Amino acid sequence: MTSKTTASLMAIRVACAAFAITGTALAQTADTPPAQAGAGAAAAVSGDAQQQQPAAGAPAEAEEAPAVAEADGKLVLPNGQDITPDHMENGRWYTAEDIPTFKIAEDGTVDWATFSGYRRYSAECHVCHGPDGEGSTYAPALKKSVLTLGYYDFLEIAASGKQEVNVAANLVMPAFGTNKNVWCYIDDIYAYLLARGLEELPRGRPAKREDKSDEFVAQEDSCMSG
């Protein structure tokens, strides 16, 4: 696995410190994808870090709607995004609309790109967002955020970062668009978080995985050396 550069580590530590002070994460509503989407990054996405507790005697909240619905044989997220695997490109699975997704066999074997996403998330993202996409006191659980945040919004925050200052907090998310250790693997990280959010993958290192394909190697080498 590629070692993180000193600059990357410092950026992560600064981001974590900011999140620790504010106790919350960025809200993001941008709809425009970055210029070079589909290459790799750790993203902090929308969501309040603290949940309000219901008052005593208040009625219990209604059960959450299913995270994914089946429509015409397709798997659809609450945000309307189809995540059904349709075709493979550069060793990665994509939907019919070229959105990265995961594919897990009945015996639990994970496609290589999703396994790669686990490795990259664990190396680059867990410092702020906690192991396995579970969230932390610094930042929200990305495994939940990806179920409602669109893919291109996810990329926008990852590539450009965001800062929002108001009377309540100073919200900071650094940009990772120039960090190849994460930006070359954005689709892998996203697919991994989808699988975690839908609980198709348990916590920890996937027990079974496919082999890395020649196509994946070629694209990876091209991105890292480009």
Side-chain angles (χ1 to χ4, degrees):
M1 181 179 295
T2 306
S3 299
K4 296 188 286 292
T5 62
T6 301
S8 300
L9 184 57
M10 289 300 297
I12 291 173
R13 289 176 176 171
V14 170
C16 288
F19 277 119
I21 294 172
T22 62
T24 187
L26 292 180
Q28 172 66 23
T29 57
D31 295 323
T32 305
Q36 296 181 356
V45 295
S46 62
D48 190 40
Q50 299 180 353
Q51 296 180 350
Q52 295 181 348
Q53 298 297 325
E61 294 184 0
E63 293 184 4
E64 294 184 1
V68 64
E70 294 189 18
D72 298 326
K74 295 182 178 181
L75 300 177
V76 182
L77 295 178
N79 62 11
Q81 184 171 285
D82 174 24
I83 60 167
T84 309
D86 178 77
H87 62 278
M88 180 175 280
E89 182 177 345
N90 295 325
R92 296 174 169 89
W93 281 99
Y94 292 90
T95 70
E97 297 180 347
D98 294 322
I99 301 297
T101 190
F102 62 91
K103 190 169 185 178
I104 303 176
E106 292 184 1
D107 67 353
T109 301
V110 178
D111 67 279
W112 173 263
T114 299
F115 178 74
S116 169
Y118 159 77
R119 295 174 64 196
R120 293 294 166 173
Y121 178 90
S122 298
E124 305 288 345
C125 312
H126 85 283
V127 175
C128 289
H129 290 282
D132 310 308
E134 292 285 337
S136 72
T137 57
Y138 299 132
L142 294 185
K143 73 170 194 174
K144 296 181 180 179
S145 299
V146 295
L147 301 183
T148 54
L149 189 73
Y151 168 61
Y152 293 111
D153 292 333
F154 179 90
L155 291 181
E156 180 67 24
I157 300 173
S160 304
K162 180 154 183 170
Q163 181 172 7
E164 181 177 329
V165 180
N166 55 47
V167 295
N170 181 14
L171 313 178
V172 178
M173 170 62 202
F176 286 93
T178 59
N179 184 340
K180 291 184 178 181
N181 290 330
V182 289
W183 188 245
C184 288
Y185 303 93
I186 185 63
D187 289 351
D188 304 348
I189 294 171
Y190 182 78
Y192 165 70
L193 290 171
L194 279 180
R196 285 289 299 126
L198 297 174
E199 299 187 356
E200 294 293 332
L201 271 182
R203 296 193 64 169
R205 182 185 181 91
K208 299 179 180 180
R209 55 144 177 94
E210 294 180 346
D211 294 333
K212 183 188 290 191
S213 67
D214 293 340
E215 292 81 4
F216 189 102
V217 172
Q219 192 279 332
E220 181 179 37
D221 290 345
S222 176
C223 184
M224 292 297 290
S225 62

